[in-house]
């Protein structure tokens, strides 16, 4: 469906920088456009819209509808303007009597097999077929409407978010091409020929049962209402749109929030969005219904004990109670007895305020963020080696990569919109190396096959990367010129001598890594000499006891092969949550201020002290796991948690629960009574991303605006709630708008120096560093030199995890996420995405299943040293023998009951990816699951009437 | 695992990594890491553990904690 208020130029743009200029004449108007531009686009740029149906500027020209015919001097016939490129001196006419007659003839054929129900059609007023019928002046249909037609074809309403009505399909193939070209799933096709042609999903399956991933690209491309959002059918077409940023993963897609009054009708990916380039996934596009879910809590609540039911109170009472409790506890137990957790789902401004509340208001550095449990090793590793805690590229860079190495990431599930970009490049011929214990979808997907999949044993990342480095060094494949110019040469020599040791070789490490030496050698050679080599990695790298070492091993490899500092290369962490990068940037770690400056640095501290008017603590604070340890020891008593659910997301649930239970005041600011709220004393209802202004920073370091499209149902944006708490504890805060918070961030953070809302509105987005030297931001980092000066090679010895398999726990569990669900599922479980993933399943190899007498779908117990849960088995060769896998989206499963306290040596990022387990057939939920369910229900009781 | 056991485990883990990353100064590197990333109560707890014998600390970790101890004493 066309996007309201956006112009469609018909065919894709051609880069002016890469092409010569061509001059031509269209309808008497002279114009100059880049060579390769279509006549249709050139005409549109000159202000003339040539009628079209199968053409749209997000897809390659197709030339099937025959509506865009034009006349060209000196050429026979009536070529399609979408598929005909401009030529120097060309003279084109787009509007003649003959063309009008031809177009009307084409339209007559379309309309003769189309329902004439425009007034009651859900796309009325927003239909390209309707528009084009008007544009060509169609007044009657000579063929009548009684002939053979498709008007009685059955609708497919299986997808929860959109319908397919074949009666309204004009078989323009835009949906099929969108699925192929943009999404890369190839789920749709045109079956049959001529009059019998029809769009089908997979092998003529329903959309829900097909390979369709529900990204919405087909719906967006459809020129009629054949494919249309159910929300539009229910609510009517939108009448205005606001550009905002998705609140799901770290890709940071920008969307047009299309509204009808204050009602959100649909989210349509913004084609000018620099992160997503007009594409989306099932979560951002469709899964926003949680904003109005009945579970959402809209009134503040308090209780003296977690054994009591909640009592709804006024905002004044809740804020006063919160402030009073924190002050009471600090007076009784000392200033370091309290702390807080910022949210990677909240805005930069909100995150900045939470850490400011803790540092300025509580007087300590006990602030941490959920990056602790995902990408804290990225911060440590990249800062150590390169000098800054962030990825090196923008997403566009992948279009210039020749060899793509994906390590411990599952982009088609975790970062699907970027995965589509990656797949586009792979279909163009780039090579793919996947290092992952599982055969993830990217390993083999339509028209893509990884050249090498190295299915390593979980926990052996460092050994594998060192073995790759061994090949690079010992076979003379290192980029010595780059290293000599850009890195510390003597450190390189030390590192090279280390990796060259025989015991680091692929052959020597094959037995422990499980990776065939020959494959590893071949992959190493390909990466080293295959052209631009780009590394993308995820939590399969970081969530290990050697997470930081693995990040540094990746950085070593990129430097050694000269793959840093230009387009098409680099080290690219794929961030989990929407604002993980931003939360880290904003000073959410207990040892750093915004911009990654240590709290012990006197000059930085002095800057903040002057701005905030207080003396700040020079000592690092507690990390989340250390807060929980301190709580069980009795020295940590109160925690302010904004937008995180540590009970479900953090490892070793029993330990988290014990820590929370030991505190005297736990404040949860969230949309829902999450699992952590079972242990909370104050619940402050949060606002959704639709209800507030702010910014998110995605995995590219791209700062993008979040814009308020409706009033917060709870009454306040999250930044306002933090400000109320700050005022109640005596801080003199008076922010009238989040833009003022960003101004403060910019004033205190050198890498954000030129960031402000005016610049973001003008430029659309900014990638930090944004400084006087680079006011419009920095797409590629470390171009001329590393931020730290010389690149720093670090020797990364492989040290096996202490989590060992043995007779009691013979299998290795690794955890991850799935496309349709997000993190702990708090949002996506409260949408129709539940249709695709209603429960966590345990993936187990057929051999391991057979040894245990298991059948697909059986209930099985999953047990580790830390705990036990039950879930149903999914038997698949996607996992190797000896490895099992599950997701952690459902609290009924609580996969983190199983995970252990082992964590990254440098950052305490939990070792989610390696847990020794045993699996056995079970009769149903474990005792723990049943008692937890009962406790959760008890804990969520709310007194029926608010106490007045 | 008790908190102090956890701290000992963490200190040994850090020392083990830094032994290969900083072979010329593993003890000082471990001390620096603890100074940079550990909250004072964690440092006090590990120092107290060393004072009690520090049985399960590795050689490098023991040296690093001893350096922390000296720094704390000098400071105050």
């Amino acid at each position: 469906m066309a996007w309201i208020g956006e112009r469609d130029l018909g065919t894709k743009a051609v880069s002016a920088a890469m092409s010569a200029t061509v001059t031509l004449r269209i309808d008497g108007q002279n114009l100059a456009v880049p060579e390769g531009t279509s006549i249709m686009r050139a005409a549109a740029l000159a202000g003339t819209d040539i009628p079209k149906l199968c053409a749209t500027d997000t897809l390659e020209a197709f030339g099937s509808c025959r509506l865009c015919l034009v006349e060209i001097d000196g050429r026979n016939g009536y070529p399609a303007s979408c598929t005909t490129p401009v030529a120097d001196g060309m003279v084109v006419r787009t509007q003649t009597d003959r063309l009008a007659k031809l177009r009307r003839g084409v339209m007559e054929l379309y309309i003769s097999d189309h329902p004439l129900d425009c007034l009651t059609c859900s796309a009325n007023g927003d239909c390209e077929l309707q528009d084009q019928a008007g544009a060509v002046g169609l007044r009657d249909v000579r063929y009548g409407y009684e002939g053979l037609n498709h008007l009685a074809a059955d609708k497919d309403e299986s997808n929860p978010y959109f319908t397919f009505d074949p009666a309204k399909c004009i078989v323009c193939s835009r949906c099929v091409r969108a699925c192929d070209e943009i999404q890369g799933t190839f789920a749709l096709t045109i079956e049959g020929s001529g009059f019998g042609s029809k769009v089908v999903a997979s092998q003529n399956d329903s959309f829900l049962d097909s390979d369709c991933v529900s990204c919405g690209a087909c719906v967006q491309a459809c020129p009629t209402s054949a494919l249309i959002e159910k929300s539009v059918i229910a609510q009517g077409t939108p009448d205005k749109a606001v550009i905002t940023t998705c609140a799901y993963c770290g890709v940071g897609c920008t969307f047009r929030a299309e509204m009808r009054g204050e009602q959100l009708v649909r989210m349509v990916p913004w084609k000018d969005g620099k992160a997503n380039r007009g594409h989306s996934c099932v979560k951002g596009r469709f899964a926003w219904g949680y904003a109005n879910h009945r579970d959402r809590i809209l009134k503040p609540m308090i209780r003296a004990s977690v054994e009591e039911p909640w009592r709804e109170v006024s905002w004044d009472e809740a804020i006063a109670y919160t402030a009073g409790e924190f002050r009471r506890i600090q007076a009784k137990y000392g200033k370091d007895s309290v702390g807080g957790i910022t949210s990677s789902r909240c805005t930069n401004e909100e995150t900045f305020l939470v850490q400011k509340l803790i540092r300025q208001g509580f007087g300590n550095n006990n602030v941490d963020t959920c990056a602790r449990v995902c990408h804290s090793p990225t911060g440590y590793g990249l800062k150590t080696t390169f000098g800054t805690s962030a990825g090196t590229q923008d997403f566009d860079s992948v279009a210039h990569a020749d060899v793509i190495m994906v390590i411990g990431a599952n982009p088609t599930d975790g970062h699907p919109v970027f995965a589509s970009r990656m797949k586009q490049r792979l279909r163009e011929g780039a090579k793919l190396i996947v290092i992952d214990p599982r055969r993830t979808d990217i390993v083999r997907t339509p028209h893509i096959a990884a050249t090498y999949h190295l299915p390593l044993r979980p926990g052996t990342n460092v050994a594998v990367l060192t073995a790759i480095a061994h090949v690079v060094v010992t076979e003379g494949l290192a980029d010595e010129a780059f290293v000599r110019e850009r890195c510390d040469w003597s450190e390189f020599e030390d590192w090279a001598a280390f990796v060259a040791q025989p015991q680091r070789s692929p052959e020597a490490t094959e037995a422990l890594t499980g990776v065939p030496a020959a494959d590893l050698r071949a992959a190493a050679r390909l990466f080293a000499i295959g052209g631009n080599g780009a590394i993308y990695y995820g939590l399969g790298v970081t969530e290990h006891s050697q997470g930081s070492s693995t990040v540094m091993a990746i950085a070593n490899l990129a430097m050694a092969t000269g793959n840093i500092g230009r387009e098409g290369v680099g080290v690219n962490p794929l961030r989990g949550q929407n604002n993980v990068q931003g939360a880290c940037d904003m000073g959410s770690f207990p040892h750093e201020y915004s911009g990654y400056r240590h709290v012990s640095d006197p000059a930085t501290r002095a800057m903040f002290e002057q701005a905030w008017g207080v003396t700040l603590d020079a000592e690092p604070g507690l990390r989340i796991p250390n807060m929980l340890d301190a709580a069980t020891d009795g020295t940590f008593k109160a925690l302010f948690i904004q937008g995180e659910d540590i009970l479900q997301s953090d490892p070793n649930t029993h330990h988290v629960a014990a820590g929370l239970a030991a505190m005297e005041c736990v404040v949860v600011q969230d949309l829902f009574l999450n699992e952590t709220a079972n242990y909370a004393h104050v619940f402050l209802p949060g606002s959704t991303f639709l209800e507030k202004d702010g910014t998110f920073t995605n995995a590219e370091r791209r700062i993008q605006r979040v814009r308020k499209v409706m009033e917060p149902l709870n009454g306040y944006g999250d930044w306002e709630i933090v400000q109320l708490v700050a005022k109640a504890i005596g801080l003199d805060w008076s922010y009238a708008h989040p833009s003022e918070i960003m101004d403060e961030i910019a004033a205190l953070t050198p890498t954000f120096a030129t960031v402000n809302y005016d610049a973001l509105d003008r430029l659309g987005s900014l990638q930090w560093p944004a400084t006087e030297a680079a006011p419009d931001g920095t797409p590629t980092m470390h171009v001329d030199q590393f931020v730290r000066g010389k690149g720093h090679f670090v020797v990364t010895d492989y040290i096996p995890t202490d989590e060992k398999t043995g007779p009691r726990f013979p299998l290795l569990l690794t955890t991850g996420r799935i496309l349709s669900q997000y993190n702990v599922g708090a949002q996506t479980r409260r949408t129709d995405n539940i249709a695709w993933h209603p429960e966590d399943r345990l993936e187990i190899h057929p051999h391991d299943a057979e040894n245990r007498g298991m059948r697909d779908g059986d209930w099985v117990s999953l047990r580790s040293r830390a705990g036990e849960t039950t879930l149903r088995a999914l038997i698949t060769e996607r996992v190797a023998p000896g490895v099992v896998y599950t997701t952690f989206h459902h609290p009924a499963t609580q996969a983190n009951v199983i995970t252990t306290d082992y964590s990254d040596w440098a950052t305490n990022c939990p070792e989610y990816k390696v847990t020794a387990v045993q699996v056995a057939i079970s009769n149903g939920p474990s005792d723990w699951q049943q008692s937890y369910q009962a406790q959760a229900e008890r804990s969520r009781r709310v007194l029926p009437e608010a106490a007045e | 695992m008790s908190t102090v056991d956890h701290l000992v485990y963490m200190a040994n883990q850090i020392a083990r990594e830094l032994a290969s990353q900083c072979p010329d100064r593993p003890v000082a590197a471990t001390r620096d890491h603890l100074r940079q990333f550990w909250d004072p109560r964690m440092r006090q707890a590990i120092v107290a553990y060393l004072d009690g014998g520090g049985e399960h600390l590795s050689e490098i970790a023991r040296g690093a904690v001893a350096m922390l101890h000296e720094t704390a004493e000098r400071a105050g």
Side-chain angles (χ1 to χ4, degrees):
Chain A
M1 189 57 54
W3 308 338
I4 59 168
E6 277 189 338
R7 188 122 184 270
D8 185 340
L9 300 177
T11 61
K12 288 184 172 179
V14 174
S15 169
M18 305 288 285
S19 311
T21 298
V22 167
T23 58
L24 72 161
R25 192 171 177 82
I26 298 180
D27 294 339
Q29 187 177 350
N30 293 323
L31 59 151
V33 293
E35 188 175 16
T37 303
S38 72
I39 292 173
M40 174 180 282
R41 186 177 180 91
L45 289 169
T48 298
D49 288 327
I50 299 172
K52 61 182 173 53
L53 281 171
C54 71
T56 182
D57 58 13
T58 57
L59 299 172
E60 297 297 331
F62 196 53
S64 79
C65 76
R66 314 311 296 169
L67 206 60
C68 69
L69 311 179
V70 292
E71 294 177 2
I72 303 173
D73 278 4
R75 297 199 188 182
N76 293 330
Y78 305 94
S81 62
C82 63
T83 52
T84 306
V86 295
D88 234 0
M90 183 181 264
V91 176
V92 180
R93 282 176 298 283
T94 72
Q95 311 293 338
T96 67
D97 289 345
R98 179 64 187 152
L99 290 172
K101 190 174 177 185
L102 286 170
R103 289 171 184 157
R104 276 197 296 275
V106 171
M107 280 305 296
E108 275 185 278
L109 290 167
Y110 279 118
I111 298 299
S112 68
D113 187 10
H114 194 84
L116 298 178
D117 61 352
C118 289
L119 288 179
T120 55
C121 177
S122 51
N124 187 23
D126 193 18
C127 170
E128 291 180 50
L129 189 67
Q130 190 180 40
D131 293 344
Q132 299 305 333
V136 303
L138 186 70
R139 297 293 174 262
D140 56 33
V141 173
R142 291 167 290 169
Y143 313 109
Y145 305 100
E146 293 77 28
L148 279 177
N149 59 56
H150 299 83
L151 302 186
D154 290 336
K155 281 186 191 177
D156 180 345
E157 298 182 298
S158 60
N159 187 289
Y161 296 117
F162 59 84
T163 63
F164 174 57
D165 183 355
K168 294 185 173 171
C169 177
I170 59 171
V171 201
C172 63
S173 294
R174 274 164 64 163
C175 55
V176 177
R177 290 147 58 207
C179 190
D180 297 355
E181 295 175 25
I182 298 174
Q183 168 55 30
T185 294
F186 295 82
L188 304 181
T189 192
I190 301 292
E191 186 184 79
S193 61
F195 181 79
S197 304
K198 62 176 184 178
V199 173
V200 299
S202 292
Q203 309 302 311
N204 220 344
D205 298 319
S206 72
F207 268 78
L208 186 64
D209 294 331
S210 73
D211 294 332
C212 167
V213 292
S214 216
C215 68
C218 57
V219 181
Q220 195 175 327
C222 180
T224 73
S225 63
L227 283 158
I228 192 164
E229 298 91 346
K230 288 182 175 175
S231 59
V232 174
I233 296 173
Q235 296 169 244
T237 49
D239 55 21
K240 64 181 176 186
V242 179
I243 304 297
T244 193
T245 303
C246 180
Y248 281 118
C249 78
V251 176
C253 297
T254 42
F255 280 85
R256 296 166 57 87
E258 298 195 348
M259 313 290 297
R260 191 165 187 83
E262 255 220 335
Q263 197 175 30
L264 180 61
V265 176
R266 64 181 172 188
M267 296 283 280
V268 182
W270 186 36
K271 66 180 175 182
D272 290 337
K274 292 175 184 167
N276 54 319
R277 302 289 182 194
H279 191 36
S280 60
C281 80
V282 63
K283 296 187 286 287
R285 177 79 153 95
F286 295 117
W288 39 266
Y290 66 86
N292 294 307
H293 194 276
R294 63 182 180 279
D295 287 350
R296 191 166 163 199
I297 304 293
L298 300 175
K299 292 181 180 172
M301 302 189 295
I302 63 175
R303 57 184 174 186
S305 156
V306 297
E307 300 302 322
E308 296 176 6
W310 287 105
R311 182 166 64 88
E312 291 180 351
V313 295
S314 67
W315 273 105
D316 286 348
E317 185 175 349
I319 297 295
Y321 184 82
T322 302
E325 280 295 275
F326 274 77
R327 284 305 187 217
R328 176 186 70 77
I329 287 166
Q330 284 194 295
K332 185 173 178 183
Y333 300 103
K335 78 173 174 61
D336 295 332
S337 61
V338 306
I341 299 175
T342 72
S343 175
S344 294
R345 298 178 201 173
C346 286
T347 64
N348 285 317
E349 293 76 2
E350 289 160 347
T351 304
F352 186 82
L353 288 193
V354 172
Q355 63 88 34
K356 180 176 176 179
L357 172 74
I358 290 157
R359 293 196 157 106
Q360 183 193 28
F362 299 162
N364 64 48
N365 288 309
N366 292 332
V367 56
D368 208 357
T369 187
C370 81
R372 175 66 52 216
V373 298
C374 64
H375 267 290
S376 51
T378 290
Y380 182 91
L382 296 186
K383 185 166 187 181
T384 302
T385 49
F386 297 161
T388 195
S389 302
T392 61
Q393 312 295 124
D394 61 7
F395 288 144
D396 287 348
S397 170
V398 76
H400 304 278
D402 299 310
V403 182
I404 297 171
M405 183 181 278
V406 177
I407 312 175
N410 183 6
T412 53
D413 280 52
H415 305 85
V417 171
F418 173 68
S420 290
R421 302 277 298 280
M422 184 185 279
K423 289 194 290 185
Q424 286 167 12
R425 180 61 184 158
L426 292 169
R427 290 198 301 275
E428 289 171 352
K431 305 294 185 193
L432 175 65
I433 300 166
V434 176
I435 304 176
D436 201 291
R438 295 173 72 225
R439 196 188 64 229
T440 52
D441 283 350
I442 195 79
V443 172
R444 189 167 184 83
T445 191
H447 301 283
I448 291 169
T451 305
Y452 300 103
H453 173 212
L454 310 184
L456 78 176
R457 187 172 165 80
T460 61
N461 283 332
V462 171
V464 167
L465 285 159
T466 304
I468 291 173
H470 175 94
V471 176
V472 170
V473 168
T474 58
E475 296 190 8
L477 306 178
D479 186 341
E480 187 177 322
F482 178 89
V483 175
R484 282 188 181 280
E485 182 190 344
R486 301 288 307 278
C487 306
D488 185 307
W489 179 253
S490 70
E491 288 173 355
F492 170 76
E493 287 184 310
D494 291 344
W495 172 81
F498 170 80
V499 301
Q501 292 168 355
Q503 65 268 35
R504 320 285 170 205
S505 72
E507 291 75 16
T509 52
E510 179 176 333
L512 72 95
T513 65
V515 176
D519 285 356
L520 191 145
R521 277 195 182 272
R525 290 170 190 144
L526 174 61
F527 184 77
I529 58 174
N532 283 342
I535 301 173
Y536 295 86
Y537 71 87
L539 305 184
V541 159
T542 56
E543 290 176 343
H544 289 274
S545 61
Q546 280 204 295
S548 292
S549 300
T550 310
V551 172
M552 292 189 288
I554 288 170
N556 291 336
L557 183 63
M559 290 189 290
T561 53
N563 281 309
I564 287 286
R566 63 183 187 277
E567 281 192 313
V569 299
V571 174
N572 304 277
L574 295 172
R575 303 281 182 164
Q577 301 203 55
N578 52 316
N579 202 33
V580 172
Q581 180 71 57
C584 298
D585 300 342
M586 292 297 100
S588 293
F589 288 134
H591 65 284
E592 286 175 336
Y593 294 117
S594 58
Y596 304 99
R597 293 160 296 164
H598 201 274
V599 293
S600 64
D601 175 46
T604 304
R605 205 167 60 250
M607 182 195 294
F608 281 89
E609 286 176 340
Q610 186 175 8
W612 294 349
V614 293
T615 300
L616 294 170
D617 193 341
E619 293 286 354
L622 293 167
R623 297 166 172 173
I624 294 171
N626 309 133
M627 291 180 194
L628 297 167
D629 284 346
T632 54
D633 287 350
T635 65
F636 191 83
K637 292 291 186 180
L639 185 60
F640 185 101
I641 306 171
Q642 184 179 68
E644 288 300 331
D645 189 359
I646 59 172
L647 189 70
Q648 192 180 340
S649 64
D650 285 29
N652 195 349
T653 305
H654 295 308
H655 181 58
V656 178
L660 290 168
M663 297 182 202
E664 293 186 9
C665 183
V666 174
V667 178
V668 168
Q669 183 178 341
D670 211 296
L671 300 175
F672 306 104
L673 279 173
N674 58 23
E675 306 311 305
T676 305
N678 294 341
Y679 292 89
H681 306 82
V682 179
F683 186 87
L684 302 175
S687 54
T688 72
F689 75 112
L690 299 167
E691 299 167 340
K692 59 193 179 188
D693 282 299
T695 56
F696 292 150
T697 305
N698 75 354
E700 310 165 281
R701 298 168 277 106
R702 187 182 300 284
I703 307 157
Q704 303 185 111
R705 277 296 313 278
V706 176
R707 293 185 176 86
K708 180 176 171 178
V709 300
M710 59 181 73
E711 289 302 314
L713 295 177
N714 58 321
Y716 293 106
D718 290 293
W719 64 275
E720 294 174 290
I721 297 165
V722 178
Q723 175 157 269
L724 289 170
V725 174
K727 284 180 170 175
I729 65 166
L731 300 179
D732 182 23
W733 289 11
S734 56
Y735 303 106
H737 190 270
S739 63
E740 296 173 11
I741 306 169
M742 180 53 80
D743 291 343
E744 181 174 321
I745 294 165
L748 292 169
T749 314
T751 46
F752 275 62
T754 60
V755 180
N756 58 64
Y757 279 29
D758 288 341
L760 290 171
D761 289 343
R762 179 167 44 84
L763 298 168
S765 63
L766 269 169
Q767 287 176 271
W768 68 259
T771 62
E772 290 303 324
D776 292 348
T778 308
T780 306
M781 293 199 76
H782 317 299
V783 171
D784 297 318
Q785 65 169 10
F786 287 98
V787 168
R788 70 183 302 280
K790 292 287 188 184
H792 176 46
F793 279 88
V794 177
V795 169
T796 55
D797 197 3
Y798 168 63
I799 298 171
T801 173
D802 289 322
E803 177 70 359
K804 309 286 189 194
T805 55
R808 284 182 65 212
F809 303 107
L811 304 173
L812 282 179
L813 168 73
T814 182
T815 61
R817 65 161 85 167
I818 202 163
L819 170 67
S820 58
Q821 298 286 346
Y822 175 70
N823 202 266
V824 295
Q827 294 139 291
T828 45
R829 279 187 283 109
R830 293 179 171 96
T831 69
D832 287 330
N833 277 26
I834 208 77
W836 288 279
H837 189 73
E839 61 184 332
D840 295 321
R841 291 281 198 110
L842 184 76
E843 291 187 5
I844 185 166
H845 190 273
H847 293 171
D848 292 322
E850 190 177 348
N851 286 342
R852 289 162 177 77
M854 273 167 205
R855 288 170 307 179
D856 198 60
D858 278 352
W859 280 97
V860 298
S861 72
L862 176 66
R863 196 158 41 86
S864 75
R865 292 176 185 87
E868 177 179 359
T869 190
T870 56
L871 66 174
R872 292 199 295 151
L874 176 65
I875 297 174
T876 172
E877 291 184 350
R878 187 189 282 266
V879 290
V883 176
V884 292
Y885 168 88
T886 190
T887 50
F888 54 93
H889 301 305
H890 291 270
T893 314
Q894 287 279 25
N896 284 317
V897 168
I898 305 301
T899 53
T900 69
D901 278 334
Y902 289 123
S903 64
D904 173 46
W905 67 272
T907 66
N908 285 129
C909 182
E911 191 167 50
Y912 290 113
K913 302 298 184 185
V914 186
T915 307
V917 296
Q918 178 57 294
V919 179
I921 289 181
S922 167
N923 292 326
S926 66
D927 292 345
W928 178 84
Q929 282 171 299
Q930 291 180 37
S931 65
Y932 179 80
Q933 182 63 26
Q935 186 220 357
E937 285 173 13
R938 225 175 26 252
S939 177
R940 292 187 175 124
R941 287 171 300 156
V942 179
L943 288 174
E945 294 296 328
E948 295 294 341
Chain B
M1 199 183 287
S2 71
T3 299
V4 74
D5 289 343
H6 194 207
L7 293 176
V8 170
Y9 180 83
M10 286 164 58
N12 288 339
Q13 196 186 7
I14 293 163
R16 196 168 48 172
E17 288 282 344
L18 293 177
S20 59
Q21 291 179 25
C22 311
D24 299 337
R25 49 184 298 277
V27 174
T30 303
R31 186 273 317 266
D32 292 348
H33 191 95
L34 300 181
R35 279 284 299 123
Q36 274 197 302
F37 298 108
W38 281 29
D39 156 86
R41 85 192 75 180
M42 295 163 65
R43 301 203 304 264
Q44 286 159 12
I46 198 85
V47 165
Y49 176 78
L50 179 66
D51 286 345
E55 183 187 0
H56 296 295
L57 284 171
S58 70
E59 190 179 332
I60 294 171
R62 175 182 288 268
V65 176
M67 288 174 81
L68 276 183
H69 201 176
E70 288 165 20
T71 311
E73 282 186 346
R74 276 203 305 276

